[in-house]
Amino acid sequence: MADYREILLRKGVVSLDQLSEAEQMAREQSMDTADCLTRLGYAEGGEVMLAMAEQHNLDYVDLKEISIPDEVIELVPESVARENTVLPMSAEGESLKVIVADPMEIETFEKLRFILARTIEIALAPRDVITEHINRYYGQIEGESADSMLQEFTDTAIDFTETEEGSISDDESVDENSAPIVKLVHIMIQEAVQLRASDIHIEPFEKRVRIRYRIDGVLMERDNTPRRLLASILSRIKILGRMDIAERRRAQDGRIKVTVGDKELDLRVSVIPTNHGQSIVMRLLDKDNIKIGIRQLGLSEDNFQVFQQLIRRPNGIILVTGPTGSGKTTTLYAALNALNRPDRKIITAEDPVEYYLPGINQCEVRHHIGLDFSRIIRSMLRQAPNIILVGEMRDEETASMGIQASLTGHLVFSTLHTNDAPSAVTRMIDMGVPNYLVASSVVAIMAQRLVRVNCSRCRAPVEITDAVLRDAGISAERAAEATFMRGKGCSHCQKNGYRGRIGIIELMRVTALIRDLIFSNKSAEEIRGAALGQGLKTLYQDGLLKVLNGITTLDEVYRVAKRSDTEINISL
């Protein structure tokens, strides 16, 4: 019987090069090749499962096309279904057919046979689809059921009395560790993980506490809890984050390690005092987010080839620029993952270390003991690294140390807060770095933003008027060849039409011409004009290309990028 990989090749779903890249990623990151194919975007989960089903002579099930009766769902307890990611499909006599994601999990099938006292037959479906339908059939986390879970605690009659000026009463200090608050905070985190949120915002107001999740970069209000619960929620989160629960006047930071399902998460907690009490933001750091390949960043084919060449240079500085939350860290980690080999030494200086990467030496900035970026860089050069990552070039000393490292034969990655790629040059010169050092050390600058992607389940073609196309700078010829898409809104995307994000990217190589302009102290606009003449695709233009391909919408591109004066006369 042919292996599922051979079946995918035979059907033309993936190429041999794509399969080789997925297998290499699987070896490096101890993952399954099937998961890597879907992560890299080379195959849909359903296509891989269909090939597996053919290999093992099993049924493939499209869960969107079937309805499972309640009496069948009740045969498998919710805890068993969630723990093993299985969904009952049909029952006949003493036999139960369940839908699974991996046909080789023999131990799981034996465990189910023992727990349920039935003969187990299996059918296949993608893991994420099974999880989604577990939520749907067992009525948790999605839709109204999630609200009811929070409502169970926010409407509770337990008295969490808050005394004047935000102080915590003696009675309340006992209640803060009681089961209801413990469960409420856990449910909040669990729900945020299942909704793919990157941040949880808990904000106090005069008569309520607002809970919002940032999903795909956009804040969405999820719940309002009574004001009386604020102090107990605060105390619970501070205890988990090892912060001082008695301190209410100063800002505090903490870190929480939590396991939700099979995910191990780090939560970075920030607490600041506001006029209505202390506000909390918890950033969810999911290790799976950094296990992506360079292919998935959103680079066009030309930029992908250029970036692959750049990161394999022996020396020089590669800068990634953009505002907070534009995916700079993910881009740098993707590059480090691609370069992480036993024959290379990689050291990073970060503030703080957000994700821990196996095989890479990561140093955390600690300002209170004088361990800042420049001191770490100076020390790490004595460790003979091949590749250095500097979390951010914030001042002249850090930038100068990074440049010295690149000039002494190291490849240096770093970030900078500028709006576009050409501005990074003038920003470094404004910090006090001599222009000749910038010109001789910086080899490329990548500016990026993140746009939301049309939901793959509910996206549909849309018509765009000629006036809108003219304003966007899209020619009639290109529009005629394009496929404009927009998500209608479904349960898969929480009714907003978008699910997931992708980068729009401006990659500027420092060519001989641009190097001469930097030597001559030319402005960012002149550097931009020269780069455009050499074929630079700006953030806005890269966004338009993704709109033409139906990946995202014009609204999303307008949200994060603007058409500059130099692009007004340029049409795609």
Side-chain angles (χ1 to χ4, degrees):
M1 182 62 70
D3 183 83
Y4 75 91
R5 287 166 287 200
E6 296 172 21
I7 296 168
L8 291 171
L9 286 170
R10 189 181 70 231
K11 290 183 175 180
V13 175
V14 297
S15 68
L16 194 56
D17 288 344
Q18 290 171 336
L19 181 60
S20 299
E21 186 180 341
E23 287 175 339
Q24 183 183 351
M25 180 180 174
R27 285 192 298 272
E28 291 169 359
Q29 301 187 14
S30 301
M31 293 170 62
D32 190 72
T33 304
D35 291 336
C36 293
L37 284 169
T38 54
R39 278 181 181 277
L40 291 168
Y42 295 150
E44 295 286 336
E47 293 172 322
V48 175
M49 282 295 124
L50 204 53
M52 278 193 182
E54 185 177 330
Q55 175 190 345
H56 296 280
N57 197 24
L58 296 169
D59 291 335
Y60 169 77
V61 180
D62 186 346
L63 280 163
K64 290 182 289 183
E65 302 295 325
I66 66 167
S67 178
I68 304 171
D70 290 342
E71 57 269 22
V72 174
I73 293 293
E74 289 167 3
L75 294 175
V76 178
E78 180 185 348
S79 57
V80 174
R82 288 190 183 281
E83 182 184 345
N84 300 287
T85 318
V86 299
L87 188 67
M89 177 181 167
S90 60
E92 188 174 334
E94 293 301 309
S95 176
L96 178 67
K97 193 168 195 175
V98 296
I99 304 166
V100 299
D102 186 350
M104 303 306 291
E105 288 184 347
I106 308 300
E107 287 184 12
T108 300
F109 309 146
E110 286 298 312
K111 181 166 66 173
L112 289 173
R113 187 179 61 79
F114 177 75
I115 293 171
L116 305 173
R118 285 174 177 267
T119 305
I120 300 297
E121 296 177 11
I122 64 171
L124 298 182
R127 190 177 299 275
D128 59 337
V129 177
I130 295 172
T131 303
E132 179 189 341
H133 282 77
I134 288 172
N135 290 334
R136 175 182 156 192
Y137 283 111
Y138 288 98
Q140 290 222 357
I141 303 307
E142 286 198 354
E144 297 177 358
S145 55
D147 291 328
S148 65
M149 281 204 301
L150 284 177
Q151 206 69 26
E152 177 186 344
F153 298 104
T154 56
D155 289 348
T156 183
I158 297 175
D159 183 19
F160 298 99
T161 311
E162 187 173 2
T163 57
E164 290 184 10
E165 297 185 7
S167 62
I168 302 170
S169 66
D170 290 337
D171 291 339
E172 190 173 78
S173 64
V174 175
D175 286 333
E176 74 198 7
N177 289 319
S178 63
I181 281 297
V182 171
K183 287 181 181 176
L184 174 59
V185 172
H186 181 72
I187 285 170
M188 197 185 300
I189 295 169
Q190 183 184 48
E191 184 183 46
V193 170
Q194 298 207 8
L195 291 174
R196 301 175 303 102
S198 59
D199 302 270
I200 302 171
H201 294 249
I202 302 169
E203 303 157 315
F205 294 100
E206 189 175 356
K207 294 180 180 177
R208 65 188 176 110
V209 178
R210 181 171 68 180
I211 296 173
R212 294 192 291 174
Y213 299 150
R214 189 181 295 279
I215 302 171
D216 291 335
V218 178
L219 278 169
M220 296 183 181
E221 189 164 330
R222 188 63 185 148
D223 203 38
N224 287 297
T225 63
R227 171 81 191 185
R228 57 192 166 84
L229 295 181
L230 174 63
S232 296
I233 292 171
L234 267 168
S235 299
R236 175 63 186 163
I237 292 171
K238 283 185 175 181
I239 288 168
L240 290 171
R242 300 177 183 272
M243 292 180 276
D244 184 356
I245 64 170
E247 179 57 72
R248 292 182 291 277
R249 296 171 300 169
R250 289 186 300 182
Q252 291 188 74
D253 294 308
R255 200 154 187 159
I256 301 171
K257 284 189 181 295
V258 66
T259 302
V260 178
D262 58 352
K263 281 181 179 285
E264 285 187 5
L265 297 163
D266 270 350
L267 272 64
R268 223 171 67 207
V269 186
S270 170
V271 181
I272 63 166
T274 70
N275 57 338
H276 288 297
Q278 295 170 86
S279 173
I280 307 171
V281 175
M282 292 186 281
R283 167 155 288 191
L284 282 70
L285 304 175
D286 185 353
K287 293 172 187 173
D288 289 345
N289 292 344
I290 57 158
K291 289 180 180 175
I292 66 168
I294 296 170
R295 276 274 183 199
Q296 295 170 278
L297 296 175
L299 290 157
S300 65
E301 189 57 37
D302 290 345
N303 282 344
F304 173 75
Q305 299 299 337
V306 170
F307 192 66
Q308 286 277 48
Q309 293 167 14
L310 288 168
I311 64 173
R312 282 165 174 78
R313 286 177 56 100
N315 65 312
I317 295 179
I318 298 172
L319 292 173
V320 181
T321 77
T324 304
S326 60
K328 299 188 298 294
T329 302
T330 303
T331 296
L332 291 175
Y333 281 176
L336 291 187
N337 277 330
L339 296 170
N340 190 10
R341 300 283 185 279
D343 61 338
R344 295 190 180 112
K345 186 174 179 73
I346 303 174
I347 305 182
T348 74
E350 301 171 66
D351 182 19
V353 173
E354 291 191 1
Y355 299 99
Y356 298 103
L357 301 171
I360 292 176
N361 302 275
Q362 294 172 271
C363 306
E364 186 159 317
V365 170
R366 290 185 172 86
H367 294 290
H368 62 283
I369 59 170
L371 190 63
D372 52 22
F373 277 119
S374 56
R375 183 163 292 186
I376 291 174
I377 298 168
R378 193 176 292 115
S379 300
M380 69 168 58
L381 290 177
R382 301 189 193 111
Q383 303 252 326
N386 302 101
I387 298 160
I388 292 170
L389 183 147
V390 181
E392 185 185 342
M393 289 192 172
R394 294 180 178 175
D395 50 42
E396 180 192 353
E397 190 176 10
T398 306
S400 297
M401 290 300 301
I403 285 172
Q404 292 302 323
S406 75
L407 294 175
T408 51
H410 303 86
L411 181 62
V412 179
F413 293 95
S414 191
T415 69
L416 209 58
H417 288 287
T418 62
N419 287 327
D420 55 24
S423 302
V425 172
T426 50
R427 174 80 182 92
M428 290 187 76
I429 294 169
D430 288 344
M431 281 195 296
V433 180
N435 58 337
Y436 61 87
L437 284 180
V438 175
S440 56
S441 59
V442 177
V443 295
I445 303 164
M446 178 193 284
Q448 68 178 66
R449 302 289 189 278
L450 292 175
V451 293
R452 291 183 292 174
V453 175
N454 288 323
C455 175
S456 60
R457 300 274 178 85
C458 64
R459 66 183 179 186
V462 292
E463 293 290 331
I464 297 183
T465 63
D466 293 341
V468 172
L469 291 173
R470 273 197 309 275
D471 289 344
I474 300 173
S475 66
E477 295 78 19
R478 290 302 298 271
E481 300 169 1
T483 309
F484 297 108
M485 306 283 274
R486 180 182 286 276
K488 293 179 179 178
C490 63
S491 60
H492 188 59
C493 58
Q494 279 84 51
K495 307 293 183 189
N496 62 35
Y498 300 102
R499 184 180 172 95
R501 289 189 290 174
I502 197 169
I504 58 172
I505 288 162
E506 176 178 298
L507 180 57
M508 186 182 85
R509 295 189 73 168
V510 179
T511 60
L513 173 60
I514 291 172
R515 192 170 287 113
D516 288 342
L517 293 175
I518 299 172
F519 271 124
S520 306
N521 259 339
K522 298 296 183 183
S523 68
E525 277 306 307
E526 290 175 282
I527 294 171
R528 167 179 281 272
L532 285 169
Q534 294 188 327
L536 172 74
K537 284 280 187 291
T538 65
L539 286 166
Y540 181 76
Q541 289 171 331
D542 193 48
L544 287 190
L545 290 173
K546 289 179 171 65
V547 172
L548 292 170
N549 291 324
I551 296 169
T552 188
T553 62
L554 277 172
D555 291 342
E556 277 299 292
V557 175
Y558 290 149
R559 185 172 65 85
V560 298
K562 67 182 180 68
R563 196 177 180 193
S564 66
D565 295 339
T566 51
E567 294 172 88
I568 293 296
N569 298 320
I570 301 174
S571 290
L572 282 178

